[in-house]
Amino acid sequence: MSKEFIVYNTLSRKKEVFKPITPGYVGMYVCGPTVYGEAHLGHARPAITFDLLFRYLKSQGNKVRYIRNVTDVGHLVNDADEGEDKIEKKARLEQLEPMEVVQHYTLSYHKNMEQLNTLPPSIEPRATGHMMEQIDAVKKILENGYAYEANGSVYFDVEKYSQDHDYGKLSGRKLEDLLENTRELSGQSEKRNSADFALWKKADKHVLMKWDGPWSEGVPGWHMECTAMSTKYLGQKFDIHGGGSDLKFPHHEAEIAQSVSAYGSESVNYWMHNNLITINGQKMGKSLGNFITLNEMFSGSHDLLEQAYSPMTVRFFMLQAHYRSTLDFSNEALQAAEKGLDRLMKAVELVGKLNASEKSSVDVAKLMDDVYTAMSDDLNTPIALAHLFEGVKWINAIHAGHQTISAQDIEELKSFLNTIVFEVLGLKIEEEAAAGGDEKLGQTIELLLKLRGEAKARKDWDTADQIRDELKAIGVIVKDVKDGFEWELAE
RNA sequence: GGUCGGUUGGCCGAGCGGCUAGGCAGCGGUCUGCAAAACCGCGUACGGCGGUUCGAAUCCGCCACCGACCUCCA
């Protein structure tokens, strides 16, 4: 079902009709992780948001090139001259080669992303693999007069840029305000202006991660990699750039300035930003030390967690809120998500078992339209899910004999749910030992339940209840339905 | 201090001028030998004070509180 796609563009602060540069083809670039630590709940938000966008755009018939970078150098601990590279610092503390740190956390990130059922991006470029491209871009900016060299480092000249362009247009900042907020960080004397940012940073002798550049042995500034790599793989003009809202300034603002300075025009048509995960109303983040890693979520090993939450519970939890809203973490909310997801998935499984009637008392076409309309409105997953739960209600009601559905509508609904739930929303069934998982176990349970059925038939309630209770103790939940039984494994 | 955003029923979370959002929890009922599941019904929420309007959670103003960004952060 194809609909006009509406996206909220951070640049215009409005919802806009999405028009790809080349109809049918979409290029999107999303800021990925700096791999110096384990991924936490906060990393899951953009990953899931833009995975959803990727899946949605593909479901609408687009061919999508999705680029998500891995930052493996150049991200300094702070802005001061002695600011150490985050990865190198971690390597020093752990007595590892920086690339060992990179490798370790990249693999860990990939594993977590796979658990969350996010599709791998089309290309996942690394900063260290694109030194030439970054150096070239810095050269261009220098040639065009928007940067200056100082003592082996190169800085972007924000004041100069502001004379010709609007620095701050994305994040709503004014240069005067930025200049007023002078932070007296030591060692910033190289910069002409406190608002200037490094494009190339000369490295100290003892620094391990450094490259031969035209200006010194050093590293590219953090903002450079995205400009260089997005241009390389998507061109100087592309459709969508995404990332966490905390990256708007300075990171994305700097990217815009770099593109304009290097190539003469802005490269991004639609900027999309996911909001942050909060915990007790406060941003969850490394700098605040209040983050929960994904591994901790999945295993329940964190003081704030009352239990483990599965990857799909986390994904569903995030889908229940709009991506531009903050989402507050709490055990209560996660538990609600777990149950809601369970109800949805059970209904999806139940569709195939429904009995067809002559006519439908439910309107499948309207349901489909409602869901796709919600998705097309800036990926409004909470609304889409609300409609899907209407479908859940129908399915259960049909199963209970209160509503009817035609054979054709069953097929329609089944195929629709498979598409929207599994392919677009990216949910999956995650019971490890579901009914078909272990055939012998299934047969054994069925045998016991058959015996229980016979006990019930002769009104031997004690035996019937004993079988049910003891199965429950083992972790098999028995549900009687008319003319038989159903069972499932407890979590 | 500057810029931006938020404050919705027990919890989470949509809505953005009139129409039941939804999930979870709770209450009542149906079904059932009992239970579970499911189904049906129930809550009359929109930070405060004014204003605009026939009508405001939704628009405007003021106030209060919370948060994000302005260093690094998804």
Side-chain angles (χ1 to χ4, degrees):
Chain A
M1 194 172 289
S2 192
K3 285 187 181 288
E4 203 166 56
F5 182 39
I6 310 287
V7 291
Y8 181 86
N9 191 347
T10 308
L11 203 52
S12 64
R13 291 176 185 72
K14 281 192 305 227
K15 285 186 184 177
E16 299 176 7
V17 176
F18 177 70
K19 289 206 178 83
I21 294 164
T22 309
Y25 293 82
V26 179
M28 56 186 271
Y29 184 96
V30 175
C31 288
T34 300
V35 282
Y36 70 108
E38 274 196 45
H40 58 75
L41 210 44
H43 291 99
R45 190 99 196 255
I48 289 171
T49 298
F50 294 105
D51 180 60
L52 179 76
L53 177 65
F54 184 38
R55 288 166 175 274
Y56 175 74
L57 289 170
K58 288 207 295 185
S59 80
Q60 295 300 101
N62 295 290
K63 205 163 180 319
V64 186
R65 182 178 290 166
Y66 172 24
I67 315 289
R68 185 181 62 204
N69 67 303
V70 168
T71 298
D72 57 357
V73 73
H75 205 159
L76 304 186
V77 171
N78 66 45
D79 204 19
D81 270 5
E82 64 271 24
E84 191 174 9
D85 186 282
K86 288 186 171 188
I87 287 158
E88 184 150 342
K89 181 180 177 188
K90 183 81 177 178
R92 180 167 54 73
L93 295 174
E94 310 240 319
Q95 298 197 316
L96 293 169
E97 191 62 38
M99 273 297 149
E100 279 185 287
V101 172
V102 166
Q103 178 73 355
H104 177 80
Y105 290 113
T106 302
L107 290 176
S108 165
Y109 180 77
H110 284 159
K111 187 183 163 222
N112 288 155
M113 290 307 111
E114 197 184 323
Q115 287 172 310
L116 289 169
N117 204 27
T118 64
L119 300 170
S122 320
I123 303 174
E124 205 165 23
R126 291 181 180 200
T128 54
H130 297 78
M131 279 301 148
M132 295 316 295
E133 289 83 352
Q134 297 188 69
I135 289 170
D136 280 349
V138 175
K139 279 185 188 163
K140 285 200 174 71
I141 296 172
L142 271 170
E143 280 165 20
N144 293 333
Y146 290 109
Y148 55 89
E149 191 186 341
N151 195 24
S153 292
V154 180
Y155 294 97
F156 190 87
D157 191 340
V158 171
E159 196 161 24
K160 172 79 195 317
Y161 179 84
S162 287
Q163 289 165 11
D164 307 329
H165 306 283
D166 184 3
Y167 184 79
K169 63 187 292 188
L170 179 72
S171 54
R173 243 150 274 254
K174 292 193 177 75
L175 183 66
E176 307 88 77
D177 297 337
L178 292 169
L179 296 181
E180 272 172 30
N181 288 315
T182 306
R183 283 164 285 103
E184 290 299 338
L185 289 173
S186 58
Q188 286 207 343
S189 50
E190 284 177 1
K191 291 189 191 177
R192 289 181 192 163
N193 221 309
S194 64
D196 294 352
F197 53 89
L199 299 178
W200 183 265
K201 193 108 180 169
K202 182 183 176 183
D204 287 344
K205 280 205 180 68
H206 62 270
V207 168
L208 299 171
M209 298 182 90
K210 57 188 171 187
W211 284 259
D212 252 330
W215 313 282
S216 63
E217 256 198 328
V219 293
W222 174 44
H223 312 305
M224 272 322 300
E225 61 175 287
C226 293
T227 299
M229 298 191 298
S230 63
T231 304
K232 172 155 182 163
Y233 298 112
L234 296 173
Q236 286 178 14
K237 270 270 186 209
F238 60 95
D239 299 300
I240 298 171
H241 192 312
S245 62
D246 50 349
L247 296 179
K248 280 184 214 167
F249 190 90
H251 188 55
H252 291 158
E253 199 71 68
E255 277 187 54
I256 292 176
Q258 287 171 349
S259 296
V260 172
S261 307
Y263 312 119
S265 68
E266 285 182 38
S267 38
V268 178
N269 283 343
Y270 303 90
W271 284 92
M272 294 177 74
H273 292 94
N274 62 276
N275 217 317
L276 307 180
I277 301 282
T278 59
I279 182 159
N280 296 324
Q282 266 218 322
K283 172 181 174 176
M284 179 181 288
K286 279 187 178 145
S287 54
L288 294 166
N290 63 348
F291 63 91
I292 302 173
T293 70
L294 290 170
N295 287 332
E296 286 165 345
M297 283 299 292
F298 302 157
S299 66
S301 57
H302 189 287
D303 286 349
L304 288 167
L305 298 174
E306 287 170 9
Q307 59 169 87
Y309 299 100
S310 76
M312 281 310 103
T313 299
V314 171
R315 186 170 181 120
F316 184 80
F317 171 63
M318 295 200 180
L319 293 176
Q320 273 198 307
H322 186 87
Y323 75 90
R324 283 192 286 113
S325 299
T326 56
L327 175 57
D328 198 52
F329 163 87
S330 73
N331 281 286
E332 249 184 316
L334 262 303
Q335 283 158 12
E338 183 178 80
K339 287 180 184 161
L341 172 65
D342 189 50
R343 203 158 99 89
L344 174 65
M345 295 314 256
K346 280 201 178 111
V348 170
E349 283 183 272
L350 192 55
V351 180
K353 299 177 192 158
L354 293 180
N355 293 319
S357 303
E358 262 316 275
K359 289 201 308 189
S360 293
S361 60
V362 295
D363 192 343
V364 176
K366 180 171 188 305
L367 178 71
M368 290 167 59
D369 190 62
D370 285 346
V371 170
Y372 279 111
T373 299
M375 289 303 292
S376 71
D377 183 11
D378 197 28
L379 301 175
N380 199 329
T381 49
I383 295 286
L385 284 171
H387 289 302
L388 283 174
F389 273 102
E390 203 176 316
V392 168
K393 205 175 234 185
W394 292 352
I395 291 164
N396 288 325
I398 293 163
H399 188 60
H402 301 155
Q403 299 268 14
T404 60
I405 188 165
S406 70
Q408 195 190 333
D409 275 350
I410 289 179
E411 286 313 306
E412 191 105 344
L413 185 60
K414 197 160 82 178
S415 128
F416 163 67
L417 288 176
N418 278 329
T419 303
I420 195 79
V421 174
F422 300 123
E423 283 170 39
V424 179
L425 296 178
L427 298 168
K428 66 177 179 186
I429 293 162
E430 56 184 0
E431 294 150 293
E432 50 275 37
D438 185 337
E439 212 173 318
K440 281 184 183 155
L441 174 67
Q443 287 170 349
T444 308
I445 291 170
E446 306 259 336
L447 174 64
L448 280 165
L449 292 180
K450 217 174 101 191
L451 291 173
R452 175 167 176 270
E454 287 166 13
K456 278 176 66 181
R458 60 175 186 272
K459 296 200 193 307
D460 180 0
W461 309 125
D462 287 345
T463 306
D465 288 352
Q466 190 190 353
I467 293 172
R468 185 176 65 198
D469 292 347
E470 293 191 10
L471 278 174
K472 189 181 178 188
I474 299 166
V476 179
I477 292 164
V478 177
K479 289 184 273 191
D480 288 341
V481 294
K482 56 177 196 282
D483 310 327
F485 54 79
E486 286 174 356
W487 62 274
E488 64 181 357
L489 296 176
E491 314 237 323

